[in-house]
Amino acid sequence: MPEELQESIFNPETIAHYQKSNPFKKLHAIVYEVLENAIITCTIPPGTRISSTQIAEQFKISRTPVEDAILRLRESGLLCTRPGKKGLYTISSTETMFDISLSDLFEARTAIECRAAYRCAQYNFDVDLAKLKALANMYYYSFEKNYFQKYALIDHNFHKFIVKSCGNPALESMFNTIEKQSRYYSIRSQAYIQQLSGESSLKVISRQHMNIYQAIESGSPEMAEHAMREHLNYGLMMCMRYRDVDKSP
């Protein structure tokens, strides 16, 4: 990892910020949260070797809380070993996260989000349709303008808004359980989509959020469920494609 990137993530100011927000939060929990977020958002690139000594030096803290955080990250699946190499590395796109396979993750997302879309269309009078349309438009224009720097955030916010708007706290709770994994793969997709700028296949996915919105706005539960399923199936296909690219020599 470049030294300037390390310094932007691992610095005493970051620790101070967390401690100001929650003075009772333990140091190892702060380090864990900082590292977890940096790995999930790919601020630390996939496949990066993690050094507790360097991180402790950058944070200007002892190694013990850093090593405790690294142990938790390994247990959660965000760090792993490499054959024939020493140390721990951030997971790559070809590896599973939190012991959940890509297909299992999307199967869970499909079950949760298709039902959420169905309920949003069924009870669309309780949905902020103007906000949902704005989120769908932001997604569409990111493709139209080939501006993908915030693609992952826009995509995630759209899906989360639908689940939060569906009126079923159990579905929202289940969505929150897999939210970190979903964010990670969405960010990985963003990097891959940037490489495909101009490819005809992107025209298909660019309209999918709007298709879901229109089905919800028109009060068509079956259409909303179908549009969400089609979108998630396409998302899984995109994830599988970039995984295959990363696996190639």
Side-chain angles (χ1 to χ4, degrees):
M1 192 188 338
E3 187 173 338
E4 60 271 17
L5 177 58
Q6 284 192 44
E7 292 175 354
S8 69
I9 304 170
F10 312 126
N11 56 70
E13 290 75 19
T14 301
I15 298 292
H17 172 76
Y18 275 85
Q19 290 176 328
K20 184 177 181 180
S21 301
N22 184 356
F24 302 102
K25 196 162 192 174
K26 294 186 180 296
L27 196 53
H28 69 83
I30 294 174
V31 177
Y32 175 86
E33 191 170 329
V34 172
L35 280 167
E36 180 191 50
N37 185 65
I39 294 169
I40 289 173
T41 60
C42 295
T43 305
I44 300 176
T48 298
R49 188 172 187 267
I50 297 298
S51 167
S52 60
T53 302
Q54 290 180 352
I55 293 172
E57 288 175 355
Q58 295 286 351
F59 276 138
K60 298 190 184 306
I61 59 177
S62 70
R63 287 178 56 186
T64 301
V66 178
E67 290 173 346
D68 288 345
I70 287 174
L71 178 61
R72 284 185 60 196
L73 289 164
R74 183 177 185 181
E75 290 172 348
S76 67
L78 288 171
L79 296 178
C80 60
T81 57
R82 288 280 185 271
K85 293 184 178 181
K86 295 181 179 180
L88 293 171
Y89 297 77
T90 57
I91 59 168
S92 70
S93 62
T94 60
E95 294 160 326
T96 59
M97 182 181 182
F98 297 96
D99 296 323
I100 298 177
S101 72
L102 193 56
S103 58
D104 286 345
L105 174 63
F106 272 84
E107 183 177 1
R109 287 192 62 184
T110 299
I112 296 165
E113 296 180 45
C114 286
R115 186 60 188 170
Y118 184 100
R119 286 180 58 87
C120 282
Q122 190 176 27
Y123 306 107
N124 65 359
F125 47 82
D126 285 331
V127 178
D128 186 342
L129 294 173
K131 183 173 181 178
L132 185 61
K133 183 178 182 180
L135 289 169
N137 276 326
M138 289 171 67
Y139 186 81
Y140 175 73
Y141 287 119
S142 69
F143 286 91
E144 284 291 294
K145 305 296 184 182
N146 286 325
Y147 181 76
F148 299 116
Q149 283 80 351
K150 295 186 178 181
Y151 163 85
L153 179 62
I154 294 168
D155 182 56
H156 179 73
N157 287 346
F158 178 83
H159 287 267
K160 186 169 185 175
F161 184 75
I162 287 176
V163 176
K164 286 178 67 70
S165 301
C166 77
N168 186 325
L171 287 176
E172 186 175 352
S173 177
M174 288 186 283
F175 178 85
N176 292 340
T177 301
I178 59 173
E179 184 175 6
K180 290 175 182 177
Q181 297 94 313
S182 299
R183 282 182 61 208
Y184 175 77
Y185 285 114
S186 184
I187 290 165
R188 294 291 292 133
S189 294
Q190 172 179 302
Y192 180 59
I193 285 173
Q194 286 175 307
Q195 300 174 28
L196 299 179
S197 180
E199 187 175 299
S200 59
S201 62
L202 294 186
K203 293 182 179 180
V204 177
I205 198 170
S206 69
R207 287 286 307 172
Q208 289 179 340
H209 278 200
M210 186 55 68
N211 292 342
I212 296 167
Y213 159 75
Q214 289 173 342
I216 291 173
E217 190 273 338
S218 67
S220 304
E222 290 82 7
M223 287 179 60
E225 181 179 33
H226 174 77
M228 180 63 79
R229 188 180 306 277
E230 184 178 54
H231 176 53
L232 290 172
N233 285 342
Y234 205 89
L236 174 59
M237 183 189 73
M238 294 292 288
C239 287
M240 295 302 293
R241 284 181 64 183
Y242 77 63
R243 279 165 64 97
D244 290 341
V245 169
D246 285 353
K247 285 179 182 179
S248 61

